[in-house]
Amino acid sequence: MDADVVRAVNDLTTRWARTLPAENTVVAGLGLWPLLALLATGADEPGRSELAAAAGVDPATAATDAIRLVETIEGSADLNAALGVWVSEELKLAETFDSVLPAPLVGLLTGNPAVDKAKLDAWAAEHTDDLIREMPLDIDGDLMLVLASALLLRTTWVRPFTEQVRRVAGGPWAGSWHWLERTDTDLDSVRRYGELTVVTVRGEADVDVLLGIGEDALPALLEAAARPGDGVPGSQLIDQDRPGPGLTIGKTTAARPDVKVSLPSFSIEVEHDLLASQELFGLTAIASDPGARGHFSALSPTPLQLGQAKQKVLARFFATGFEAAAVTAMAMTRAAMITSQERRLEVTLDRPFAFVAVLRDSRLPIVAGRVERPTEPGE
């Protein structure tokens, strides 16, 4: 996998993580990044530069990078990804459209909200194995272009956890919780990065889940994930009196030192409105009214602007494994046309009138007649 793309996705996710509120949440930077990259290639300035900076890409090659990333993910045993594009039957496409958004990805929007919602929801459900059953968009007849990504991750642990009910006596977690525990002889599955302790829970195929506890834990964990060989390993921490955040030294009856990992099982589902953080994701320009010019001349001569950008994502950590799914979607609408108010001459034909049809150049009359009274009664 391209190291520059991995770095760009990690950087985007880390910046996003730093803005999140102190509550249960989950984000999928990997689901958002391909859409930003595709739009960067298809956008005009200034949106092109904003999107490229947010995604950390060269806009000239960003769309290709996005497609290749999704194709590479498909080689994973535990992770699946998909891209989808839908265009309105009414939208005229630019000649360069296929060079940005390849034809195999493209479906049609009918303009009928019921039909289009069913189609988009079915795509989301199919590509997340029903974990997410609705496209996170408000579907109406004004949608001209929709881009979406879907991610599905399922892995089982090499060493499963045992389940129990545990009561926490005090503090913010006071109460009874569904709890997971296991022991492992791999001391170096624990590492300390400054004021952050990281535990690696290995999956059976090609996905691991990292757990981090300490100061500014989420962005720090993302940074640590990019440096798996750094930090102080557990084989050294076990000899320290104060090994790190979340760590204590206990006793075991096993033949050699081991690691005991204890945590609550969790299931988190969140929907993010990406337009609430336009600057973070490089969406400010393309969400603004472009006037008559539009933001995406490489996609369509019709002036388009970003109307919606949302992500629905869930993550579940349980005794035997981990699963996660995300659907990220962006919807374009026609840019509002600027109209001027001028004087108007109004003609009302509310009594008998005549008509004639002629060839324009020769003025040859084709049919002529008169209307004495209306012929089509109202309902």
Side-chain angles (χ1 to χ4, degrees):
M1 187 172 292
D2 190 305
D4 290 336
V5 170
V6 173
R7 188 179 306 109
V9 173
N10 191 288
D11 288 346
L12 173 66
T13 309
T14 301
R15 292 197 310 274
W16 192 357
R18 292 191 185 282
T19 70
L20 296 172
E23 59 189 31
N24 284 358
T25 192
V26 57
V27 300
L30 178 58
L32 174 58
W33 187 88
L35 302 188
L36 297 181
L38 288 170
L39 290 179
T41 296
D44 302 319
E45 294 294 354
R48 184 179 177 89
S49 293
E50 285 189 0
L51 288 161
V57 293
D58 178 349
T61 61
T64 300
D65 292 340
I67 300 298
R68 286 178 178 169
L69 173 62
V70 172
E71 291 174 345
T72 301
I73 288 172
E74 283 304 294
S76 167
D78 287 341
L79 179 62
N80 296 295
L83 289 172
V85 180
W86 296 265
V87 298
S88 169
E89 295 175 345
E90 300 178 0
L91 183 66
K92 182 178 180 180
L93 302 182
E95 293 182 358
T96 53
F97 184 93
D98 288 348
S99 66
V100 181
L101 302 173
L105 299 179
V106 180
L108 288 178
L109 296 172
T110 66
N112 182 326
V115 172
D116 293 337
K117 177 173 173 53
K119 180 186 300 186
L120 296 176
D121 288 351
W123 184 90
E126 176 188 356
H127 291 288
T128 63
D129 199 15
D130 279 339
L131 290 180
I132 295 177
R133 298 184 179 183
E134 292 187 345
M135 186 72 73
L137 292 175
D138 298 323
I139 310 299
D140 58 37
D142 294 330
L143 298 186
M144 292 287 105
L145 175 65
V146 171
L147 288 80
S149 74
L151 297 173
L152 174 63
L153 164 62
R154 278 200 170 109
T155 191
T156 54
W157 307 132
V158 170
R159 184 185 299 271
F161 291 76
T162 59
E163 303 176 73
Q164 59 184 278
V165 174
R166 176 174 173 179
R167 180 171 180 79
V168 178
W173 284 17
S176 295
W177 309 101
H178 189 268
W179 210 263
L180 306 176
E181 287 188 353
R182 77 173 196 186
T183 57
D184 191 343
T185 57
D186 182 9
L187 294 178
D188 290 348
S189 64
V190 177
R191 304 185 83 87
R192 189 187 71 211
Y193 296 77
E195 294 304 311
L196 176 77
T197 297
V198 177
V199 180
T200 298
V201 185
R202 290 181 57 82
E204 287 188 332
D206 55 2
V207 170
D208 299 333
V209 174
L210 277 61
L211 307 170
I213 185 170
E215 185 177 346
D216 207 15
L218 180 54
L221 181 61
L222 286 162
E223 293 173 358
R227 302 181 285 115
D230 291 355
V232 182
S235 53
Q236 295 179 28
L237 295 174
I238 199 168
D239 294 324
Q240 299 181 11
D241 293 332
R242 303 178 66 182
L247 296 176
T248 56
I249 302 299
K251 299 292 184 179
T252 179
T253 57
R256 56 177 175 162
D258 58 20
V259 175
K260 180 180 178 181
V261 180
S262 172
L263 75 156
S265 59
F266 60 82
S267 178
I268 299 171
E269 185 171 351
V270 183
E271 183 169 305
H272 301 283
D273 183 353
L274 305 179
L275 287 181
S277 302
Q278 295 182 17
E279 293 184 4
L280 177 64
F281 303 124
L283 304 178
T284 302
I286 64 171
S288 66
D289 187 344
R293 183 171 61 87
H295 291 304
F296 298 97
S297 61
L299 303 181
S300 173
T302 302
L304 297 174
Q305 71 182 84
L306 183 66
Q308 299 179 63
K310 297 180 180 180
Q311 180 179 92
K312 189 169 187 178
V313 57
L314 63 85
R316 297 172 182 159
F317 190 111
F318 46 97
T320 58
F322 181 83
E323 64 183 12
V327 174
T328 311
M330 296 186 176
M332 307 287 180
T333 59
R334 281 194 182 95
M337 299 300 293
I338 300 175
T339 58
S340 59
Q341 298 294 314
E342 300 289 348
R343 291 165 60 89
R344 170 192 289 169
L345 183 64
E346 297 182 347
V347 178
T348 303
L349 303 179
D350 58 358
R351 52 186 179 271
F353 62 93
F355 65 91
V356 59
V358 302
L359 289 177
R360 179 180 298 116
D361 292 340
S362 66
R363 311 308 295 167
L364 178 69
I366 303 169
V367 294
R370 60 186 298 169
V371 176
E372 288 291 332
R373 59 185 179 275
T375 63
E376 306 296 329
E379 295 181 357

